[in-house]
Amino acid sequence: SLEAAHKARESGLAERGRELVWAVITAAGAQGATDEEIAERSRLNPSTPRPRRIELQRMGRIIESGTRKTKGGRNAVVWMCR
């Protein structure tokens, strides 16, 4: 919700979450990471890292680098550091 997003920004949670997502993608190196992998490796609720990843993408810190299959067999974008 908008209220939750506003509170997260005020408390610094968004920034800490963004840096955690950045660290996971950085650690993945040339292999990159999908949203599913970012959630698993960061041990965050699967819906939590996606908004932070979108912010990183909008900031130009990460780029799409192809796709690979999720555990469920769907194609997912692989994210890498720029």
Side-chain angles (χ1 to χ4, degrees):
S1 75
L2 290 175
E3 183 179 339
H6 183 68
K7 285 181 181 178
R9 273 193 293 273
E10 285 180 352
S11 68
L13 287 175
E15 184 175 345
R16 287 193 298 273
R18 196 168 41 249
E19 291 309 310
L20 177 56
V21 169
W22 169 254
V24 169
I25 296 171
T26 300
Q31 181 181 5
T34 64
D35 284 347
E36 178 181 72
E37 293 163 346
I38 294 167
E40 289 174 357
R41 294 173 189 169
S42 65
R43 297 184 180 174
L44 294 171
N45 177 305
S47 65
T48 302
R50 186 173 179 273
R52 306 295 76 88
R53 190 264 304 150
I54 290 169
E55 292 167 355
L56 290 168
Q57 180 186 14
R58 288 180 180 157
M59 295 166 77
R61 293 179 68 187
I62 61 173
I63 57 170
E64 289 186 33
S65 125
T67 62
R68 69 170 155 257
K69 300 285 184 187
T70 65
K71 289 180 180 179
R74 295 184 179 198
N75 285 329
V77 173
V78 176
W79 300 98
M80 292 183 65
C81 295
R82 178 161 260 188

